[in-house]
Amino acid sequence: MIEIIDLKKHFGPKHILRGVNLKIEEGKTLAVIGGSGTGKSTLIKCIIRLLEPDGGKILFNNKDITHIKKQMELAKLRRSFGYLFQEGALFDSLSVGENVVFGLKYLTDTPKSEYARIAKEKLALVGLKGIEHLRPSELSGGMKKRVSLARVLATEPKVILYDEPTSGLDPIMSEIINELIIDLKNKLGVTSVVITHDMKSAFEISDNMAMLYEGKV
Amino acid sequence: MFKALGRLLIKFFTQLGQASSMVSSCVFWLFKSPLEFSQTMQQTTKIGVESLVVATLTSLFTGMVLALQAGTTMRNILSEPLYIGTLVGFSLVRELGPVLTAFVVAGRAGAAVTAEIGTMQVTEQIDALHTLGTDPIRYLVIPRIIAFMIAIPVLTLCANFSGMFGGFLVSVNSLGVASNVYISDITTYIGVDDLMHGFIKSCFFAFMIGVVCCYKGLWTRGGAEGVGKSTTQAVVTSMVLILVMDYFLTAILNSIGL
Ligand SMILES: Nc1ncnc2c1ncn2[C@@H]1O[C@H](COP(=O)(O)OP(=O)(O)OP(=O)(O)O)[C@@H](O)[C@H]1O
Ligand SMILES: [Mg+2]
């Protein structure tokens, strides 16, 4: 479904990705592991084109998406993806509930009357209840992470890129999130790329594993 | 020396290029997608309310000091405080009202806009907007530029009135000008063209402040420190550009008879 060929990315003189080759099959989960600062986040940002690669190719459903420039086409591409940010990246100016349903307005035709129900349902999935009216600044780091995951789930994307979904969570919560990822795969056929530091959960959830080291897999 | 100058020029033109590409994306999204109406309204009231008190106070005292200076000068030259209303009104409506209001808004609301967008940039909220199917230009920039373009002319109008009122207070109370004389000095000599002159200026200022502050916010790099840096830069750039634009706009508007 996603094919990455000889992907290169550098920031100034720092060469982060030096020719990554990866294949992600439909309905499968790929775990990406690797030391801190090896470019894991950079890699999945290239996939969803938040960053433009400097070399190589990314194919999505056999279509070359490496250098799409048109804003409309990029927006369309991103419709298929969900991206869980490492730090959550919740919108400070909106409440938790508004954060969760934010994407619905732009990515789906869900009627507004459904929003409250969806927010509740998705927050329950990540083990949070009755916090819709709070502001992101009132949450703990782990709670932010889970709200952010709820926001990704709300739009029901076909491919989800998780940037360390379980870091900063207690073991029980991590287990719940891992099961959620497996559930999404089994029930909805979601394709996932999961960045993780936790080897145990990497083995648990993934069909394939890739280790990033010195800019290569 | 030349190297430094060259680097400065390169930086200037890169930024100009980036800012203009932002403006062209604004035009693109303005036609491609419905306006974020509630965002725009929210921003307009926020900018308006934030700056109203400071803007009116600033011009109140400016009007007062204008009247005082003009009054004492006139008394020295003509031994009578003549045409104070006209002088105060002209200076405010054509020049000081738009410029001072733009200054106040740039320092207050402009800084807030850059800091907010800059923080969103360094905490990946801008990236999150992309992944959730919208675009920072559409969701953040356009509503804010429009908000500035509504709020600043309205604030300028308020500032003009409060400045003329300040002039009125000083003229009547300490210069001994009759109140109806002050008012007729204003109404007989200041016409629609003067109001247009000020209005057009304030629209241009508003657009520029919106572009500069959003641009600096979006191009923030380097964490919390970066946010502080780009906020200062946004305010300084806006203020310098207000004065530069003011000169050229005055020259152009005068030459077309406004
Ligand atoms: N915008 C940027 N500008 C310059 N350098 C960057 C930028 N983003 C990332 N880097 C650099 O790229 C390298 C890889 O960053 P990345 O965030 O991909 O690491 P990571 O593998 O996700 O690490 P972690 O496990 O700590 O999240 C880092 O050394 C970082 O300094
Ligand atoms: Mg990372």
Side-chain angles (χ1 to χ4, degrees):
Chain A
M1 180 172 219
I2 302 170
E3 206 173 341
I4 300 170
I5 305 159
D6 200 29
L7 186 72
K8 294 195 177 83
K9 178 77 197 167
H10 63 86
F11 295 108
K14 270 196 292 187
H15 289 262
I16 309 298
L17 304 176
R18 307 162 181 240
V20 174
N21 290 290
L22 266 180
K23 216 171 187 162
I24 301 147
E25 277 158 51
E26 183 152 11
K28 294 272 160 69
T29 301
L30 172 80
V32 177
I33 53 175
S36 185
T38 46
K40 304 182 297 299
S41 303
T42 308
L43 173 65
I44 59 171
K45 275 185 192 161
C46 284
I47 297 179
I48 195 176
R49 282 299 315 281
L50 287 172
L51 293 172
E52 188 170 357
D54 300 316
K57 259 193 197 161
I58 303 171
L59 305 179
F60 176 63
N61 289 336
N62 296 322
K63 189 168 168 279
D64 189 350
I65 59 164
T66 326
H67 297 292
I68 298 180
K69 283 256 158 50
K70 293 217 184 73
Q71 313 198 17
M72 281 324 225
E73 267 182 67
L74 267 180
K76 213 156 106 201
L77 167 74
R78 291 187 182 124
R79 245 158 235 243
S80 316
F81 287 94
Y83 187 108
L84 176 67
F85 285 88
Q86 195 166 357
E87 312 286 345
L90 296 177
F91 303 119
D92 300 318
S93 55
L94 303 177
S95 72
V96 167
E98 289 166 328
N99 260 288
V100 174
V101 297
F102 189 90
L104 293 178
K105 183 175 159 195
Y106 302 100
L107 297 170
T108 67
D109 303 320
T110 320
K112 273 218 162 69
S113 51
E114 292 284 285
Y115 284 11
R117 184 188 60 76
I118 293 175
K120 219 184 179 114
E121 178 191 313
K122 302 298 172 187
L123 283 170
L125 271 183
V126 294
L128 294 168
K129 269 201 197 84
I131 60 157
E132 284 94 327
H133 59 280
L134 294 182
R135 295 267 148 188
S137 55
E138 296 170 280
L139 304 180
S140 75
M143 285 164 92
K144 278 186 200 159
K145 200 65 179 274
R146 286 186 278 154
V147 172
S148 192
L149 181 54
R151 184 172 73 180
V152 172
L153 299 179
T155 58
E156 301 179 345
K158 292 201 266 310
V159 185
I160 305 183
L161 311 171
Y162 302 88
D163 200 340
E164 303 188 13
T166 55
S167 69
L169 300 181
D170 60 77
I172 299 168
M173 206 60 235
S174 302
E175 203 49 45
I176 293 175
I177 300 294
N178 284 338
E179 259 154 42
L180 189 64
I181 295 173
I182 296 169
D183 251 18
L184 286 170
K185 183 181 78 172
N186 292 341
K187 290 199 187 129
L188 300 173
V190 173
T191 310
S192 324
V193 179
V194 185
I195 292 177
T196 183
H197 284 298
D198 180 359
M199 291 309 284
K200 192 175 136 274
S201 63
F203 280 111
E204 205 177 300
I205 58 178
S206 68
D207 304 298
N208 300 299
M209 256 199 256
M211 169 148 166
L212 208 56
Y213 180 71
E214 299 206 321
K216 295 195 174 171
V217 172
Chain B
M1 172 62 192
F2 279 115
K3 231 182 189 167
L5 196 70
R7 213 172 299 138
L8 209 69
L9 275 177
I10 289 171
K11 199 171 150 201
F12 173 76
F13 282 108
T14 338
Q15 297 202 347
L16 196 67
Q18 286 164 344
S20 6
S21 94
M22 187 186 90
V23 173
S24 64
S25 314
C26 284
V27 176
F28 173 83
W29 282 110
L30 209 52
F31 286 106
K32 268 285 171 17
S33 64
L35 180 67
E36 296 276 346
F37 192 73
S38 64
Q39 280 285 315
T40 311
M41 284 294 102
Q42 205 181 324
Q43 288 299 324
T44 310
T45 35
K46 199 169 140 202
I47 293 169
V49 171
E50 258 179 1
S51 310
L52 182 63
V53 176
V54 197
T56 46
L57 264 184
T58 312
S59 69
L60 178 74
F61 281 94
T62 310
M64 286 166 72
V65 84
L66 277 176
L68 199 57
Q69 291 282 18
T72 34
T73 314
M74 286 294 190
R75 224 190 247 150
N76 286 342
I77 303 171
L78 305 170
S79 65
E80 222 184 318
L82 288 172
Y83 298 120
I84 306 301
T86 318
L87 268 168
V88 171
F90 255 122
S91 322
L92 281 170
V93 170
R94 292 179 71 94
E95 202 55 49
L96 292 171
V99 170
L100 288 177
T101 309
F103 261 72
V104 167
V105 175
R108 196 109 169 63
V113 162
T114 309
E116 188 189 5
I117 298 182
T119 308
M120 291 182 75
Q121 175 63 252
V122 299
T123 54
E124 298 187 315
Q125 291 175 51
I126 300 287
D127 287 342
L129 283 176
H130 282 300
T131 64
L132 292 169
T134 179
D135 188 284
I137 301 288
R138 172 181 168 193
Y139 185 75
L140 299 170
V141 176
I142 292 177
R144 278 165 180 75
I145 292 181
I146 293 178
F148 277 117
M149 292 188 72
I150 297 171
I152 291 185
V154 174
L155 284 171
T156 304
L157 202 65
C158 299
N160 286 342
F161 274 113
S162 101
M164 287 190 241
F165 177 68
F168 176 85
L169 288 181
V170 171
S171 306
V172 172
N173 292 327
S174 43
L175 298 170
V177 178
S179 61
N180 58 341
V181 172
Y182 179 86
I183 292 169
S184 78
D185 273 351
I186 292 178
T187 48
T188 23
Y189 292 101
I190 294 175
V192 181
D193 51 339
D194 299 307
L195 287 173
M196 277 311 284
H197 184 103
F199 175 75
I200 292 172
K201 275 184 177 174
S202 68
C203 290
F204 274 94
F205 294 159
F207 178 73
M208 184 276 294
I209 293 173
V211 171
V212 167
C213 293
C214 292
Y215 163 75
K216 284 287 176 190
L218 281 180
W219 282 85
T220 298
R221 296 291 180 271
E225 194 195 342
V227 175
K229 231 190 242 164
S230 50
T231 306
T232 324
Q233 281 174 2
V235 175
V236 173
T237 313
S238 301
M239 287 186 173
V240 172
L241 284 182
I242 287 168
L243 294 176
V244 174
M245 281 173 75
D246 187 42
Y247 173 79
F248 287 106
L249 283 172
T250 309
I252 294 169
L253 290 172
N254 280 344
S255 75
I256 60 169
L258 277 178

